[in-house]
């Protein structure tokens, strides 16, 4: 149980996190949404600190706030994105998005209600928690991450790689009139295509 001061901080962080998360999806200005998302991450880090998971709190601040959210903020502010046009184009994908949302909601209901369908699942997945005084949460997290969940960790890395490649493909735009380097064309050059011999008459230039 949390003490009086810890409980006060818990409710403070939780309330601000939920309120800022709601503002993320309700703000019309995308820059404001990113700023509210940064505030949400800060309060989530505070909740991690209250539970003794200082490693997760620092990772949340360094990775998400310090890198990802700052990158999103610069991208949103620097790119001239027509959000009205994007919203109009997104309406045609609304049925597919609704179908995917229903599937995800059904999966979450099945997972969260697992104890109702199979009460014995709770006893099979539970593991004893190590003593925090003898073992830090960073060491325990590393042991679990690189032993029991090693393959899942590698799969998540591949998913991030695919997401990065997809972002590059989506943002790559070829402008007309801009010369681009073609490695295949350069390597495939022959003397016949790479040189042109002209006979220049005396006293005349090319």
């Amino acid at each position: 149980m949390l003490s009086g001061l810890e409980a006060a901080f818990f409710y403070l962080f939780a309330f601000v996190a939920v309120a800022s998360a709601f503002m993320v999806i309700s703000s019309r200005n995308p820059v404001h949404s990113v700023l509210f998302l940064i505030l949400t991450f800060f309060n989530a880090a505070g909740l991690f600190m209250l539970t003794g998971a200082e490693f997760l709190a620092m990772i949340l601040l360094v990775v998400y706030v310090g890198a990802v959210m700052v990158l999103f903020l610069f991208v949103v502010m620097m790119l001239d994105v027509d959000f009205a046009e994007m919203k109009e184009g997104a309406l045609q994908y609304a049925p597919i998005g609704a179908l995917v949302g229903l599937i995800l909601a059904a999966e979450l209901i099945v997972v969260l209600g697992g104890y109702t369908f199979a009460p014995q699942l709770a006893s099979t997945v539970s593991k004893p928690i190590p003593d925090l005084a003898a073992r830090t949460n960073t060491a325990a997290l590393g042991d679990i991450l690189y032993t029991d969940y090693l393959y899942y960790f590698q799969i998540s890395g591949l998913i991030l790689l695919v997401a990065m490649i997809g972002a590059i493909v989506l943002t790559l735009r070829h402008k007309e009139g801009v010369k681009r380097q073609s490695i295949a064309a350069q390597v495939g050059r022959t003397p016949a295509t790479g040189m042109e011999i002209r006979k220049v008459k005396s006293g005349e230039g090319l």
Side-chain angles (χ1 to χ4, degrees):
M1 293 294 293
L2 297 176
S3 62
L5 186 59
E6 291 178 347
F9 277 109
F10 172 79
Y11 287 115
L12 175 63
F13 288 143
F15 175 77
V16 176
V18 173
S20 56
F22 177 76
M23 293 302 298
V24 170
I25 61 176
S26 61
S27 297
R28 295 183 178 272
N29 193 329
V31 177
H32 295 168
S33 297
V34 174
L35 294 176
F36 279 118
L37 188 57
I38 293 175
L39 180 60
T40 304
F41 285 149
F42 268 106
N43 287 275
L47 293 175
F48 279 132
M49 291 293 293
L50 289 178
T51 57
E54 67 277 357
F55 177 76
L56 293 179
M58 292 300 104
I59 288 296
L60 186 63
L61 292 179
V62 172
V63 176
Y64 284 94
V65 178
V68 178
M69 284 299 101
V70 174
L71 177 62
F72 283 176
L73 185 61
F74 274 97
V75 169
V76 170
M77 293 178 64
M78 295 179 66
L79 292 182
D80 187 13
V81 180
D82 190 357
F83 292 97
E85 183 180 354
M86 292 179 60
K87 291 180 180 179
E88 292 177 358
L91 292 178
Q92 59 182 344
Y93 300 105
I96 300 177
L99 178 61
V100 174
L102 290 176
I103 294 174
L104 292 177
E107 292 177 350
L108 288 175
I109 292 174
V110 171
V111 171
L112 295 178
Y115 67 94
T116 303
F117 300 103
Q120 67 275 13
L121 290 179
S123 60
T124 58
V125 299
S126 60
K127 292 184 178 180
I129 300 176
D131 188 9
L132 295 179
R135 188 174 184 80
T136 62
N137 62 80
T138 304
L141 181 63
D143 288 341
I144 295 176
L145 188 62
Y146 293 106
T147 53
D148 297 340
Y149 299 98
L150 177 61
Y151 295 110
Y152 299 103
F153 182 73
Q154 293 178 345
I155 291 173
S156 64
L158 291 176
I159 293 174
L160 292 176
L161 177 62
V162 172
M164 181 179 66
I165 296 175
I168 295 174
V169 172
L170 291 175
T171 56
L172 182 62
R173 294 181 176 87
H174 295 283
K175 296 182 179 180
E176 297 181 358
V178 178
K179 293 183 178 180
R180 294 184 177 274
Q181 184 180 15
S182 177
I183 304 298
Q186 292 177 352
V187 174
R189 291 179 63 186
T190 61
T193 59
M195 293 186 298
E196 182 180 357
I197 301 176
R198 292 188 179 183
K199 293 183 179 181
V200 181
K201 296 182 180 180
S202 179
E204 296 182 1
L206 292 176

